Amino acid sequence: MGNKKTLLALGFFLIFGVMSLLIGSEATPPSPVVKITPELKEKFPLKPHHEKLSFKCVDCHAEQGDDPENFKAIDDKGCLSCHKTKQYLADRLKFMDALHVNPHNSIHDGPKLYCDECHFEHKKSDNMCLSCHSNDVKIWMRPTP
Ligand code: HEC
Ligand code: HEC
Ligand code: HEC
Ligand code: HEC
């Protein structure tokens, strides 16, 4: 009888010991489970280029908790975690430099502008340059993706 109890106690001791070791040695806490309903997806639609990559909310809203309604906008750092650097983006649209109409490397600001001066994810983007140059330069009359 006594032996069984000691064994049981020892068993618990072992299990809790291993568990606390595991928890203690874990470098990062597991990411919270974010429940995404069809309604939420409809409320926060993605741009087609991101949608077709099947991005999850947390691919952009990383470490913003588990309540999707309370996610916050992501800044340049968020976009650039995948899109590299502002200079890299400027170089990709280099063919527009000839007319000085590269939105990523403008004659006014160079490659310094914030992404959200033009690009939005859940709503229509808006090329800030057009607020002043609405009709001058046809090459960036395409809608901002
Ligand atoms: C998790 C990674 C990731 C994040 C974060 C991300 N993107 Fe993307 N994005 C991609 C990938 C991958 C593509 C498709 C490949 C490509 O064109 O580079 C893409 C495509 C795009 C395109 C279309 C490219 C084209 O050729 O038409 C635009 C515009 C864009 N992203 C802007 C943004 C902006 C602005 C942000 C920040 C709000 C952002 N992305 C955040 C990965 C990401
Ligand atoms: C001044 C407005 C403006 C700003 C600021 C801006 N973009 Fe753009 N971006 C555009 C426009 C306009 C296009 C489409 C150009 C074209 O006609 O192909 C574009 C195209 C893109 C593309 C697709 C072309 C490519 O290079 O692959 C990506 C990706 C992109 N932007 C990401 C970003 C990110 C990330 C930031 C912030 C670092 C940013 N943009 C800042 C206006 C802007
Ligand atoms: C490709 C990156 C990306 C993905 C994926 C993404 N978001 Fe966003 N989210 C943004 C950006 C950028 C903003 C800033 C506002 C905007 O651009 O529309 C934002 C803003 C938000 C906001 C704040 C809105 C406000 O008015 O302040 C909420 C809430 C949100 N997103 C929820 C979601 C949900 C839910 C999902 C998944 C269904 C999701 N997001 C997927 C980039 C993303
Ligand atoms: C607040 C208004 C405003 C915004 C926004 C703006 N510009 Fe300008 N831009 C001007 C003015 C004013 C001039 C000088 C016009 C002139 O000399 O005739 C100018 C001049 C230019 C020129 C030189 C034209 C020439 O005659 O050589 C280019 C190219 C240009 N802008 C591109 C851009 C780009 C790209 C963006 C977006 C990143 C942008 N602008 C945003 C007001 C603006």
Side-chain angles (χ1 to χ4, degrees), residues 2-132:
N3 262 351
K4 258 193 185 162
K5 266 190 186 155
T6 353
L7 264 178
L8 213 65
L10 205 71
F12 275 122
F13 182 74
L14 266 174
I15 288 167
F16 280 115
V18 169
M19 265 171 67
S20 55
L21 255 179
L22 277 177
I23 291 165
S25 65
E26 202 152 12
T28 43
S31 49
V33 182
V34 181
K35 281 227 183 69
I36 303 303
T37 58
E39 292 75 44
L40 261 174
K41 280 196 159 178
E42 210 170 292
K43 198 165 161 195
F44 300 101
L46 302 186
K47 283 288 155 68
H49 46 258
H50 290 146
E51 175 72 46
K52 76 168 182 239
L53 298 167
S54 308
F55 278 174
K56 298 201 173 59
C57 308
V58 291
D59 287 331
C60 290
H61 298 285
E63 287 164 40
Q64 294 190 353
D66 55 5
D67 179 4
E69 293 275 358
N70 278 324
F71 284 160
K72 310 229 156 25
I74 64 166
D75 56 12
D76 288 5
K77 241 170 80 193
C79 305
L80 295 177
S81 68
C82 296
H83 289 287
K84 309 203 166 101
T85 63
K86 294 189 181 183
Q87 191 55 53
Y88 175 84
L89 289 165
D91 291 344
R92 276 181 57 139
L93 297 183
K94 222 183 179 99
F95 66 95
M96 296 186 177
D97 284 345
L99 293 170
H100 305 291
V101 296
N102 185 344
H104 294 166
N105 195 4
S106 87
I107 195 158
H108 307 292
D109 310 284
K112 287 193 310 224
L113 295 173
Y114 299 111
C115 312
D116 67 3
E117 292 186 78
C118 301
H119 293 276
F120 299 101
E121 187 67 25
H122 307 304
K123 56 191 178 207
K124 207 171 160 291
S125 291
D126 181 19
N127 188 348
M128 172 271 273
C129 311
L130 297 184
S131 60
C132 296

